[in-house]
């Protein structure tokens, strides 16, 4: 049930010693810090593997590991985390192959790096499927003395015999591509090989690829992603391949892909030019090699091809060439061949979400479109069937008030996998027949923690501008409302990424079961209510998302669920920026912060690794007007002496080639300079996910929850 505590919250706001407004005024009156590379005393920490920087990392790792691993709770938490992440009773994530088999990539204690394996659908539905190994990454890494991390495969339809395997050194986004024969289970001798680079490749046919890579000087965008798409024929070098398209250095990236029907027949060869993180252009490569721009709005995604109908998701209001008006969030469809011939061909509206609805997933079976539709952050699955003037739909009979995810769909028939999960509901996997509506639960997870007596509530908090922000609270039902509960508040708040209810065995075992409260804030910046919910906190409006998160913290305190000594926050990447903003704007509300692989120096984010690709989200610090609103909240510049900052735990990865580890390093260094205690840990492998293998993942989790235990469970609540 959604309840409000407006009166209590208003009183708390009135009595709070430091509001976000006064904090902003305090920050603006203080001397500016690190507003240029020349004035940044810690810019040397941006040298990822520099000798001085790595000595600093080693010293901080030694200190932080000594503190946290020396805590008597660490060993138990680590063992519990390791058992969970290495558990073999997880649901193997299934992927339909074109011949109806099921593929899966699996990691456990015996397959730390993982194994790509395959079985039949009938076998998969049994308790003990009979798997055949296609590629063993552990064995490959050992044989080649390489630190390989598997990043997926792209197989040539319809046979899907020949595949491009993406292999990353230590978890980086940059990958090496190698041709693999899934029938002989071996790499093709003398086959296609593309050296390490960000970007990818797609099959046009067995002897021709669309390739977007680092082709040398002048071929990458300012964001470090490919700017050039080439058509490469077997036997050609990258230098010999034909240039099909070249973007601009200010673009995020360009890439190529193919659109195929359910039989694997090539229907269109396409190039995507990402102008910024949200705006793009799509081009069709004609048979004679010409490149023609398609009549699509800048903010839209091609989401599927069903029975000859092209389905597009709109992220903006748009008047089509046909004169039809559509709304942001709409799903629309055209008959592909007719539309390619004449862009003024009328589209059909498939789905228009309401104000509190959002499309969270779309996939196509042979004859239907399967849509995960959320209403007030609770999911359902609809099956849409194409028609000439309208699409009809039915709703699958699945559990209610949970999260649903549309998984792999068969192009042979209309079968589709659907996942179901909730904060206290172990994940289950259902096989649906979209043609008939029949659903069958084929897998379910055993409970990984004792949820006896626990409950989930959904509340709303009033943000500074009056917008109501939903959030979930997971806790023991007999929790006292006296402010004494150790509470972990999680947030992300960006990139239209929704925080949906889901079962986390590690949160349950390492936190909830031990008496902790877990809270998830559905702030603006996410996609919980569609594109508009995200756009409300873009660029100059970023502070709204920070205020949303602060409002949830205030509401938790107003309800006496927790109190400042018992409240901690956690978030990673963009969520790490979220934590930094909370730390610098409302430190008076929290006693712990887990800041994971964060963005922190927002005046230099666009100059570090993939940062320029996020200008569409945050704005451009090189434009004075935009720099002003960014600097107002940038955590690195707004750290101050004499503030009630708690000891924070910051962690990152040396191998993260997406969010530069310099953000986290500089945050820790600046805090220490100002006299604050800091725990900093840097995994020297792992990439942006901060875990190249399961053992490292378990260690990271144990460190986080040991820290949270020390800060929130050992500290008495205020009287």
């Amino acid at each position: 049930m959604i309840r409000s505590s407006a009166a209590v919250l208003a009183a708390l706001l009135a009595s709070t010693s430091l509001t976000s407004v006064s904090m902003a005024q305090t920050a603006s009156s203080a001397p500016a810090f690190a507003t240029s590379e020349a004035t940044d005393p810690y810019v040397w920490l941006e040298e990822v593997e520099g000798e001085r920087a790595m000595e600093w990392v080693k010293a901080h790792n030694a200190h932080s590991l000594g503190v946290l691993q020396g805590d008597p709770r660490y060993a138990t938490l680590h063992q519990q985390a390791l058992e969970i992440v290495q558990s073999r009773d997880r649901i193997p994530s299934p992927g339909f192959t074109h011949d109806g088999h099921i593929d899966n990539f699996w990691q456990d204690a015996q397959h730390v790096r993982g194994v790509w394996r395959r079985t039949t659908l009938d076998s998969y539905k049994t308790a003990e499927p009979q798997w055949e190994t296609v590629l063993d990454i552990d064995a490959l890494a050992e044989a080649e003395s390489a630190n390989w991390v598997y990043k997926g495969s792209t197989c040539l339809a319809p046979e899907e015999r020949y595949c491009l395997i993406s292999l990353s050194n230590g978890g980086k986004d940059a990958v090496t591509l190698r041709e693999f024969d899934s029938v002989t289970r071996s790499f093709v001798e003398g086959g296609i090989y593309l050296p390490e680079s960000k970007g990818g490749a797609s099959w046009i046919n067995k002897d021709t690829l669309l390739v977007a890579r680092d082709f040398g000087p002048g071929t990458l965008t300012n964001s470090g992603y490919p700017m050039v798409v080439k058509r490469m024929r077997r036997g050609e070098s990258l230098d010999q391949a034909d240039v099909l398209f070249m973007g601009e250095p200010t673009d995020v990236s360009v890439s190529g892909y193919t659109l195929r029907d359910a039989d694997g027949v090539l229907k269109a060869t396409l190039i995507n030019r990402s102008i910024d993180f949200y705006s793009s252009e799509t081009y069709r490569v004609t048979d004679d090699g010409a490149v023609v721009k398609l009549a699509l709005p800048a903010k839209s995604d091609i989401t599927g091809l069903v029975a000859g109908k092209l389905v597009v998701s709109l992220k903006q209001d748009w008047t089509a060439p046909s004169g039809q008006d559509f709304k942001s969030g709409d799903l629309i469809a055209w008959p592909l061949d007719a539309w390619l011939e004449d862009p003024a061909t009328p589209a059909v509206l498939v789905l228009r979400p309401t104000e509190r609805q959002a499309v969270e997933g779309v996939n196509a079976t042979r004859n239907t479109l399967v849509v995960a539709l959320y209403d007030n952050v609770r999911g359902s699955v609809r099956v849409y069937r194409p028609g000439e003037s309208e699409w009809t739909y039915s709703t699958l009979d699945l559990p209610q008030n949970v999260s649903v995810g549309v998984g792999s769909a068969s192009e042979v028939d209309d079968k589709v996998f659907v996942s179901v999960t909730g904060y206290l509901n172990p994940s289950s996997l259902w096989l649906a027949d979209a043609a008939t509506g029949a659903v069958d639960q084929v897998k379910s997870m055993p409970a990984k923690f004792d949820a006896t007596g626990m409950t989930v509530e959904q509340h709303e908090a009033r943000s500074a501008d009056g917008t109501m922000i939903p959030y979930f609270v997971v806790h023991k039902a007999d929790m006292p409302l006296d402010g004494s509960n150790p509470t972990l508040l999680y947030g992300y708040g960006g990139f239209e990424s929704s925080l949906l209810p889901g079962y986390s065995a590690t949160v349950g075992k390492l936190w909830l079961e031990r008496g902790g409260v877990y809270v998830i804030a559905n702030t603006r910046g996410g996609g919980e209510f569609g594109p508009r919910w995200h756009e409300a906190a873009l660029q100059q409006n970023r502070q709204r998302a920070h205020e949303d998160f602060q409002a949830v913290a205030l509401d938790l305190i107003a309800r006496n669920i927790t109190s400042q000594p018992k409240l901690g926050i956690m978030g990673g990447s963009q969520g790490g920026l979220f934590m930094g903003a909370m730390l610098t704007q409302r430190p008076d509300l929290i006693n712990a912060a887990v800041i994971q692989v964060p963005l922190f120096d927002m005046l230099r984010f666009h100059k570090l690794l993939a940062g320029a690709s996020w200008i569409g989200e945050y704005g451009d610090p090189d434009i004075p007007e935009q720099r002003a609103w960014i600097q107002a909240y940038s955590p690195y510049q707004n750290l101050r002496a004499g503030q009630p900052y708690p000891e924070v735990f910051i962690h990152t990865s040396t191998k993260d080639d997406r969010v530069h580890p310099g953000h986290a390093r500089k945050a820790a260094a600046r805090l220490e300079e100002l006299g604050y205690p800091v725990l900093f840990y840097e995994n020297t492998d792992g990439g942006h996910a901060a875990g190249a293998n399961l053992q490292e993942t378990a260690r990271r989790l144990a460190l986080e929850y040991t820290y949270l235990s020390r800060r929130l469970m050992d500290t008495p609540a205020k009287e």
Side-chain angles (χ1 to χ4, degrees):
M1 181 177 70
I2 299 175
R3 295 177 290 170
S4 177
S5 58
V8 181
L9 179 56
L12 182 67
L13 279 167
S15 63
T16 300
S17 61
L18 193 61
T19 68
S20 59
V21 174
S22 64
M23 174 62 81
Q25 291 170 343
T26 300
S28 64
S29 64
F33 172 76
T35 55
S36 68
E37 183 174 345
T39 60
D40 184 354
Y42 301 111
V43 73
W44 56 273
L45 285 169
E46 294 177 6
E47 188 176 349
V48 177
E49 302 205 44
E51 183 176 354
R52 183 184 177 193
M54 290 309 296
E55 285 300 318
W56 183 94
V57 167
K58 290 175 184 176
H60 282 75
N61 278 358
H63 168 71
S64 299
L65 292 177
V67 170
L68 295 175
Q69 291 182 334
D71 188 287
R73 288 164 291 203
Y74 174 83
T76 299
L77 290 169
H78 180 259
Q79 184 60 35
Q80 290 173 335
L82 193 62
E83 289 174 0
I84 288 170
V85 301
Q86 292 186 341
S87 170
R88 296 181 62 88
D89 60 9
R90 291 171 284 123
I91 296 176
S93 179
F96 278 108
T97 66
H98 203 273
D99 64 1
H101 280 79
I102 300 298
D103 275 8
N104 167 253
F105 184 72
W106 182 257
Q107 292 175 290
D108 59 23
Q110 286 71 47
H111 305 94
V112 175
R113 297 177 184 273
V115 56
W116 174 19
R117 57 189 189 171
R118 178 170 293 171
T119 190
T120 64
L121 177 59
D122 286 342
S123 179
Y124 178 80
K125 292 164 66 176
T126 65
E128 297 290 338
Q130 299 302 303
W131 295 100
E132 296 181 5
T133 297
V134 179
L135 177 62
D136 187 327
I137 305 299
D138 294 271
L140 177 69
E142 182 178 0
E144 298 183 353
S145 299
N147 188 19
W148 289 134
V149 174
Y150 179 72
K151 291 282 188 171
S153 62
T154 302
C155 300
L156 175 61
E159 294 86 1
E160 296 180 337
R161 173 173 181 172
Y162 296 101
C163 305
L164 297 174
I165 306 296
S166 296
L167 296 170
S168 161
N169 174 18
K172 295 187 291 186
D173 284 355
V175 295
T176 300
L177 293 178
R178 292 161 62 176
E179 186 178 9
F180 184 80
D181 186 332
S182 65
V183 173
T184 64
R185 314 277 167 91
S186 62
F187 287 100
V188 177
E189 188 172 348
I192 295 164
Y193 171 85
L194 301 179
E196 181 180 88
S197 168
K198 291 185 179 181
S202 298
W203 298 95
I204 296 176
N205 56 49
K206 185 175 182 296
D207 297 313
T208 315
L209 293 176
L210 278 174
V211 180
R213 311 290 286 169
D214 181 353
F215 297 110
T219 66
L220 294 180
T221 66
N222 298 338
S223 301
Y225 292 106
M227 190 174 71
V228 176
V229 175
K230 292 188 177 185
R231 179 168 50 198
M232 189 181 84
R233 295 174 176 85
R234 187 177 294 276
E236 288 183 333
S237 67
L238 289 174
D239 290 340
Q240 294 170 327
D242 298 330
V243 174
L244 288 178
F245 186 85
M246 179 174 288
E248 299 292 335
T250 53
D251 293 341
V252 173
S253 67
V254 297
S255 58
Y257 63 104
T258 57
L259 190 65
R260 299 177 185 271
D261 66 15
D263 293 318
V265 176
L266 180 65
K267 303 298 292 185
T269 300
L270 303 175
I271 292 172
N272 179 267
R273 177 194 175 201
S274 296
I275 299 170
D276 61 36
F277 207 84
Y278 303 105
S279 301
S280 63
E281 297 172 344
T282 303
Y283 296 82
R284 180 192 178 202
V285 182
T286 63
D287 292 341
D288 60 4
V291 176
V292 179
K293 184 179 176 182
L294 298 181
L296 290 170
K299 295 182 179 180
S300 62
D301 295 315
I302 293 175
T303 57
L305 183 63
V306 182
K309 307 291 196 301
L310 181 72
V311 181
V312 173
S313 171
L314 301 183
K315 303 297 178 67
Q316 66 179 75
D317 294 349
W318 183 56
T319 300
S322 61
Q324 297 168 284
D325 290 325
F326 295 105
K327 298 293 185 182
S328 180
D330 286 354
L331 285 180
I332 61 176
W334 289 277
L336 176 63
D337 293 340
W339 179 71
L340 290 176
E341 184 71 24
D342 179 9
T345 299
V348 174
L349 178 65
V350 179
L351 166 63
R352 173 166 293 166
T354 66
E355 196 68 26
R356 301 291 277 187
Q357 290 181 332
V359 173
E360 287 288 351
V362 178
N363 209 342
T365 67
R366 187 173 188 85
N367 301 297
T368 72
L369 189 74
V370 186
V371 178
L373 183 68
Y374 278 70
D375 196 324
N376 203 30
V377 205
R378 298 167 189 268
S380 63
V381 175
R382 290 184 180 181
V383 175
Y384 285 84
R385 297 167 183 82
E388 293 304 316
S389 59
E390 65 176 351
W391 290 45
T392 60
Y393 77 88
S394 58
T395 303
L396 294 181
D397 184 16
L398 293 165
Q400 303 295 304
N401 297 321
V402 291
S403 284
V404 294
V406 177
S408 182
S410 172
E411 294 179 326
V412 177
D413 50 31
D414 292 307
K415 291 185 176 64
V416 60
F417 284 108
V418 177
S419 61
V420 174
T421 186
Y423 293 119
L424 300 178
N425 305 83
S427 300
S428 59
L429 186 70
W430 300 65
L431 181 61
D433 186 337
T436 65
V439 293
D440 179 34
Q441 182 176 307
V442 293
K443 302 280 182 186
S444 61
M445 281 279 292
K448 292 293 184 178
F449 63 93
D450 184 2
T452 303
M454 292 185 188
T455 188
V456 179
E457 293 178 310
Q458 188 182 31
H459 299 297
E460 287 186 338
R462 186 178 300 277
S463 194
D465 66 357
T467 302
M468 301 306 294
I469 309 301
Y471 66 95
F472 289 98
V473 185
V474 190
H475 62 92
K476 292 185 176 180
D478 60 358
M479 171 185 72
L481 293 177
D482 60 2
S484 66
N485 304 292
T487 300
L488 177 59
L489 170 59
Y490 186 88
Y492 184 77
F495 296 96
E496 204 178 340
S497 180
S498 303
L499 297 184
L500 306 173
Y503 190 83
S504 171
T506 50
V507 170
K509 191 69 179 178
L510 278 59
W511 189 246
L512 292 171
E513 196 177 277
R514 299 170 58 230
V517 176
Y518 186 54
V519 182
I520 306 86
N522 299 120
T523 66
R524 285 172 291 184
E528 286 87 347
F529 299 129
R532 289 187 181 89
W533 195 246
H534 168 238
E535 291 164 1
L538 270 182
Q539 299 196 3
Q540 68 267 34
N541 295 319
R542 171 62 42 181
Q543 180 62 16
R544 288 178 180 171
H546 302 152
E547 290 168 350
D548 292 352
F549 195 66
Q550 295 162 17
V552 173
L554 285 163
D555 204 56
L556 289 168
I557 295 171
R559 294 176 187 275
N560 277 324
I561 290 172
T562 192
S563 56
Q564 177 273 330
K566 293 292 187 176
L567 179 58
I569 57 174
M570 176 188 284
S573 191
Q574 146 63 31
L577 168 61
F578 230 35
M579 301 307 106
M582 184 69 155
L583 178 70
T584 54
Q585 294 180 23
R586 295 306 306 264
D588 56 306
L589 297 179
I590 59 173
N591 195 35
V594 178
I595 304 174
Q596 308 162 316
V597 290
L599 284 159
F600 221 84
D601 183 354
M602 296 304 290
L603 295 187
R604 283 182 53 75
F605 82 90
H606 62 313
K607 299 181 183 297
L608 301 174
L609 295 176
S613 64
W614 309 318
I615 286 174
E617 179 80 8
Y618 302 116
D620 188 345
D622 289 338
I623 298 173
E625 177 190 4
Q626 299 182 20
R627 183 182 183 86
W629 78 57
I630 294 169
Q631 185 171 334
Y633 68 76
S634 178
Y636 187 52
Q637 280 73 32
N638 284 293
L639 290 169
R640 298 282 181 262
Q643 302 301 314
Y645 300 153
E647 178 186 55
V648 299
F649 178 35
I650 305 172
H651 65 75
T652 187
S653 169
T654 312
K655 287 290 197 291
D656 190 340
D657 57 349
R658 191 181 312 169
V659 174
H660 197 291
H663 285 281
R665 295 172 180 178
K666 294 198 304 180
R670 175 61 171 164
L671 281 164
E672 288 178 325
E673 176 197 338
L674 293 170
Y676 300 104
V678 179
L679 292 172
F680 174 92
Y681 171 68
E682 183 168 321
N683 172 22
T684 54
D685 268 339
H688 189 53
N693 58 58
L694 298 177
Q695 286 97 332
E696 178 56 39
T697 299
R699 176 160 66 170
R700 173 182 60 79
L701 289 164
L703 292 173
E704 289 176 340
Y705 285 98
T706 299
Y707 162 79
L708 290 168
S709 299
R710 292 166 62 88
R711 298 296 307 172
L712 305 181
M713 291 184 169
D714 293 354
T715 305
K718 289 180 180 177
E719 292 298 327

